[in-house]
Amino acid sequence: MRRPMIAGNWKMNKTPAETKALIEDLKAIENRSGAEVVVCPMTVSLFAAAEALKGSEIKLGAQNVHFADKGAYTGECNAASLKELGVEYVIIGHSERRQYFGETDLTVNQRTLKALEAGLKPIVCVGESLEQKQQGITNEIVCLQTKVALLGVTAEQLKDLVIAYEPVWAIGTGLTATPEDANNTIRAIRGAVEEVFGAEAAQSLRILYGGSMNDKNAHDLMAQSDVDGGLIGGASLVAEKFAGVINFN
Ligand code: PGA
């Protein structure tokens, strides 16, 4: 059985003080679905988040990690520092990183390998653009992104990894993939993983949906056979809405 995961991607929102306040609100939420809940604040807010989360079941995630151990990489953040702060998960290859910051399938792979080596659990994002969807090549794109991201990952490491399928046209737009479309694409991704790692590993892997998922549509998306959770942007910034997603059932 795959335990559902609901992860909040706070993107470039919430100062350290605001992070602390939102976490206090989230700690008061009753988790009736049993989902694993993760919050991913800005790097500069991770310390405040780690302090606020002490004693809570909510896990801490970062939004990126560099592929070098340390060195001359101005503005980047290494895995050792994230580990030291108590970070457990790290989002890698989000489409905003790909779109605005030159992230490629290759760097996604490098970051994924470094995260795993350091004991961080990657949430690897894949997803097609609107153009690619219109061309009917969604499955080809996401399967290729997945296979490249996982190059060199061992079967043992795969157990710590999560994939998030996030159609680029659905992120922050209010447009959501239909539950059936999300499920079909996620099944294709699972198939690509099966080709490389075998059926058992593919069946154990959690694959999330992301892209305008909220308290209103979470139930229908989560009812799908292969949707194992959500990576939530906008709706994770408001405690009541995130509560609705956490309690999707
Ligand atoms: P959204 O963002 O929920 O605001 O669409 C999702 C994401 O980018 O992870």
Side-chain angles (χ1 to χ4, degrees):
M1 272 302 282
R2 302 185 294 262
R3 184 182 179 194
M5 170 185 279
I6 302 296
N9 174 11
W10 293 358
K11 308 192 179 184
M12 200 170 73
N13 297 290
K14 305 291 174 189
T15 66
E18 290 166 350
T19 293
K20 196 170 172 299
L22 180 52
I23 286 176
E24 291 309 325
D25 289 344
L26 296 181
K27 285 192 329 193
I29 293 170
E30 192 192 348
N31 177 351
R32 294 186 301 275
S33 70
E36 184 175 22
V37 179
V38 183
V39 292
C40 306
M42 277 192 284
T43 309
V44 75
S45 296
L46 285 171
F47 181 77
E51 291 290 308
L53 285 172
K54 277 195 179 131
S56 159
E57 293 279 297
I58 301 172
K59 310 276 180 62
L60 185 58
Q63 297 177 14
N64 197 11
V65 63
H66 198 260
F67 42 79
D69 288 323
K70 60 178 179 176
Y73 300 99
T74 303
E76 288 287 332
C77 179
N78 65 358
S81 301
L82 297 179
K83 280 295 284 182
E84 201 173 299
L85 285 180
V87 170
E88 185 169 335
Y89 286 95
V90 58
I91 299 170
I92 297 178
H94 189 279
S95 68
E96 286 150 17
R97 302 282 329 158
R98 295 177 190 256
Q99 194 177 344
Y100 306 130
F101 301 101
E103 196 81 59
T104 65
D105 290 346
L106 188 65
T107 56
V108 170
N109 175 243
Q110 291 175 312
R111 292 181 203 273
T112 300
L113 294 176
K114 179 54 69 180
L116 288 165
E117 181 193 311
L120 293 165
K121 300 174 180 170
I123 302 174
V124 177
C125 301
V126 299
E128 84 285 8
S129 67
L130 182 59
E131 258 179 359
Q132 291 163 339
K133 176 182 161 65
Q134 287 166 344
Q135 287 170 341
I137 56 172
T138 295
N139 288 0
E140 284 89 338
I141 293 293
V142 297
C143 290
L144 183 68
Q145 289 175 339
T146 300
K147 283 185 177 174
V148 178
L150 300 186
L151 279 174
V153 171
T154 67
E156 197 52 36
Q157 288 175 326
L158 190 73
K159 294 177 184 163
D160 283 334
L161 188 139
V162 177
I163 290 179
Y165 165 54
E166 299 205 305
V168 178
W169 49 269
I171 295 176
T173 57
L175 300 171
T176 321
T178 65
E180 294 74 22
D181 282 353
N183 201 46
N184 286 336
T185 307
I186 287 177
R187 286 177 73 148
I189 295 169
R190 207 179 291 290
V193 173
E194 181 173 335
E195 281 176 34
V196 182
F197 293 92
E200 206 181 309
Q203 283 307 316
S204 309
L205 176 72
R206 289 186 292 184
I207 308 182
L208 318 180
Y209 169 79
S212 299
M213 189 163 167
N214 57 38
D215 48 330
K216 306 276 185 297
N217 57 29
H219 176 82
D220 290 348
L221 285 159
M222 292 299 294
Q224 296 292 318
S225 62
D226 279 67
V227 179
D228 300 321
L231 183 55
I232 326 295
S236 71
L237 294 169
V238 181
E240 302 75 49
K241 288 189 183 173
F242 199 45
V245 183
I246 292 168
N247 293 307
F248 57 82
N249 46 343

